[in-house]
């Protein structure tokens, strides 16, 4: 049951890559500081270089929650996925190897049994960190990609086998959708996005409180191989204590927002549906709106996250054979807390 449910989500996961902030690069300019100050003029905040350095190894207890809220017409659906695990990170040569242990997961407050393979579900959904990271903070890839691909394909075939004959896709469409949904690019979408929110999009960036950075970048959507322009804004809100009661403000609160180009996104959504054998009505520029919002509390000198939250909001409007507009809205909120020894 659990595996089938998540295979359904994986078929649409390719669209999620269009707003991966991990693919966006923020650039900042070095500016000379004027040390001359007048009386009663506050000293401007100094630039802060966000540095990725987890040392030789890192251990943390991680608590992760993803909530999905879907509204379509008069119907409403709410789902909650939880994961708790021990994160291990070890520096090996030019990379960090991230693995996990002591994993437990829940879906809508019910434990996910071992036979449903939470060790596969966790990494695919991005809630469990299990991949290689370059020394500069760049995402490299899943450690058990072959196992994840096999799990995804089995789950997809099992789900289709339970459908009524009239609703099953043709063998050709089934094979095409299965291979697309289990490709490296699609399976790494959520993992890369999680890492981008925690470290990837911040590493090596110099930021100054009160001076937001803007970035225009282009990402390529897998399966259909279409480019998509993404407009992003990054902010350092303020310095804070890493934990309550600490006097030293060694952490910083960071925020980011990202919006893909609306016209290109509408075309991509149509092509994605057509690539899996479905028929798609053309979407207007305003028919599909997506926004990502990120917030993070992290150590500026190491980028060891303390907590993070990111929200994706999606609004869809469409017409069906000349009928009135059909509105749907989906919001996905992910929260992660890291507790260090």
């Amino acid at each position: 049951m659990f595996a089938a449910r998540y295979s359904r989500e994986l078929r649409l996961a390719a669209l999620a890559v269009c707003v991966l902030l991990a693919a966006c690069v923020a650039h900042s300019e070095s500016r000379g500081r004027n040390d001359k100050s007048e009386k009663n003029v506050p000293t401007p905040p100094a630039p802060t270089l966000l540095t990725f350095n987890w040392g030789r190894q890192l251990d943390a207890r991680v608590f992760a929650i993803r909530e999905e809220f879907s509204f379509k017409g008069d119907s409403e659906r709410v789902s909650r996925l939880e994961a708790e695990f021990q994160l291990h990170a070890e520096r090996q040569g030019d990379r960090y190897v991230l693995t996990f242990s002591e994993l437990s997961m829940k879906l809508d407050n019910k434990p996910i049994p071992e036979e449903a393979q939470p060790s596969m579900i966790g990494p695919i959904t991005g809630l469990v960190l299990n991949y290689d990271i370059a020394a500069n903070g760049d995402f490299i890839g899943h450690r058990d990609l072959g196992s994840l691909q096999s799990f995804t394909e089995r789950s997809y075939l099992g789900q289709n086998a339970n459908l009524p004959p009239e609703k099953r896709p043709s063998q050709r469409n089934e094979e095409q959708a299965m291979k697309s949904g289990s490709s490296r690019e699609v399976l790494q979408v959520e993992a890369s996005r999680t890492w981008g929110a925690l470290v990837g999009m911040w590493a090596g960036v110099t930021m100054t409180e009160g001076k937001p950075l803007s970035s225009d970048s282009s990402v390529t959507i897998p399966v259909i191989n279409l480019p998509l322009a993404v407009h992003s804004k990054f902010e350092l809100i303020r310095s804070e204590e890493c934990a309550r009661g600490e006097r030293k403000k060694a952490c910083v609160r960071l925020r980011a927002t990202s919006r893909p180009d609306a016209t290109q996104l509408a075309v991509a959504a149509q092509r994605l549906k057509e690539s899996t054998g479905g028929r798609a009505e053309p979407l207007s520029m305003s028919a599909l709106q997506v926004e990502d919002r990120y917030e993070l509390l992290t150590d500026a000198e190491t980028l060891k996250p303390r907590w993070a939250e990111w929200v994706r909001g999606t609004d869809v409007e469409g017409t069906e054979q000349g009928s009135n507009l059909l509105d749907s809205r989906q919001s996905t909120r992910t929260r992660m807390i890291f507790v260090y020894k």
Side-chain angles (χ1 to χ4, degrees):
M1 177 181 69
F2 293 96
R5 177 170 175 179
Y6 278 97
S7 68
R8 180 171 64 251
E9 304 299 329
L10 290 172
R11 286 184 296 164
L12 301 177
L15 183 58
V17 78
C18 66
V19 282
L20 276 178
L21 286 182
C24 304
V25 180
H27 299 280
S28 61
E29 298 180 0
S30 298
R31 301 183 183 274
R33 288 186 58 196
N34 187 350
D35 292 330
K36 296 181 180 180
S37 58
E38 298 180 7
K39 203 172 185 179
N40 299 325
V41 176
T43 303
T48 299
L49 174 62
L50 304 175
T51 306
F52 175 58
N53 182 6
W54 282 9
R56 298 309 305 174
Q57 61 181 19
L58 175 147
D59 288 278
R61 194 67 182 172
V62 182
F63 304 86
I65 299 174
R66 175 165 296 156
E67 297 171 300
E68 292 189 2
F69 309 88
S70 300
F71 306 91
K72 187 172 184 178
D74 295 331
S75 64
E76 176 182 351
R77 176 175 172 266
V78 180
S79 181
R80 179 185 176 101
L81 181 65
E82 302 174 60
E84 179 180 347
F85 60 97
Q86 192 70 28
L87 171 66
H88 312 278
E90 183 179 352
R91 177 72 180 263
Q92 295 183 5
D94 61 351
R95 66 182 59 193
Y96 281 92
V97 176
L98 276 57
T99 57
F100 66 92
S101 61
E102 303 174 32
L103 172 64
S104 63
M105 296 190 71
K106 294 181 181 180
L107 178 62
D108 297 333
N109 213 32
K110 295 179 180 179
I112 297 180
E114 282 300 318
E115 55 267 29
Q117 295 187 263
S119 60
M120 299 286 106
I121 296 173
I124 290 174
T125 58
L127 290 187
V128 177
L129 284 61
N130 187 45
Y131 31 75
D132 287 357
I133 300 299
N136 66 352
D138 288 346
F139 180 86
I140 295 178
H142 277 304
R143 296 194 55 75
D144 298 320
L145 182 62
S147 298
L148 296 177
Q149 289 174 322
S150 297
F151 169 78
T152 302
E153 292 176 1
R154 291 195 310 270
S155 300
Y156 179 68
L157 292 175
Q159 179 197 6
N160 283 346
N162 293 327
L163 292 174
E166 66 275 10
K167 292 187 177 181
R168 294 175 188 171
S170 66
Q171 183 176 358
R172 178 182 177 182
N173 287 342
E174 181 182 62
E175 290 179 357
Q176 184 179 5
M178 181 182 69
K179 292 301 181 182
S180 296
S182 62
S183 67
R184 174 189 296 270
E185 293 82 5
V186 170
L187 287 182
Q188 294 189 159
V189 163
E190 290 300 333
S192 178
R193 183 168 181 250
T194 294
W195 181 253
L198 298 173
V199 172
M201 65 183 179
W202 310 105
V205 178
T206 298
M207 304 187 70
T208 304
E209 183 178 336
K211 294 183 178 181
L213 301 176
S214 296
S215 172
D216 290 333
S217 60
S218 179
V219 297
T220 300
I221 303 177
V223 180
I224 58 175
N225 198 33
L226 274 182
L228 180 68
V230 180
H231 314 292
S232 305
K233 178 181 177 182
F234 302 83
E235 300 177 85
L236 191 159
I237 305 302
R238 59 179 173 268
S239 298
E240 293 187 16
E241 301 88 350
C242 293
R244 286 185 181 180
E246 293 184 356
R247 294 184 177 180
K248 184 180 178 181
K249 295 184 177 181
C251 282
V252 289
R253 182 183 294 262
L254 306 171
R255 285 181 188 162
T257 58
S258 178
R259 297 182 182 89
D261 181 89
T263 303
Q264 294 179 6
L265 183 60
V267 172
Q270 183 179 352
R271 295 278 184 87
L272 277 170
K273 190 168 184 179
E274 292 172 347
S275 71
T276 58
R279 296 182 61 184
E281 295 291 334
L283 292 171
S284 68
M285 175 178 173
S286 60
L288 181 58
Q289 300 290 330
V290 177
E291 180 184 71
D292 283 287
R293 300 187 304 275
Y294 293 78
E295 188 157 344
L296 169 70
L297 182 68
T298 188
D299 187 324
E301 295 183 355
T302 63
L303 283 180
K304 290 170 56 176
R306 302 307 172 118
W307 62 259
E309 177 176 293
W310 55 100
V311 179
R312 167 171 292 160
T314 305
D315 291 340
V316 181
E317 296 178 356
T319 58
E320 193 170 307
Q321 296 181 348
S323 62
N324 292 331
L325 287 176
L326 175 66
D327 298 336
S328 67
R329 173 168 293 178
Q330 180 171 330
S331 178
T332 304
R333 178 174 62 192
T334 304
R335 285 177 283 182
M336 301 187 78
I337 298 174
F338 292 74
V339 179
Y340 302 96
K341 295 181 178 179

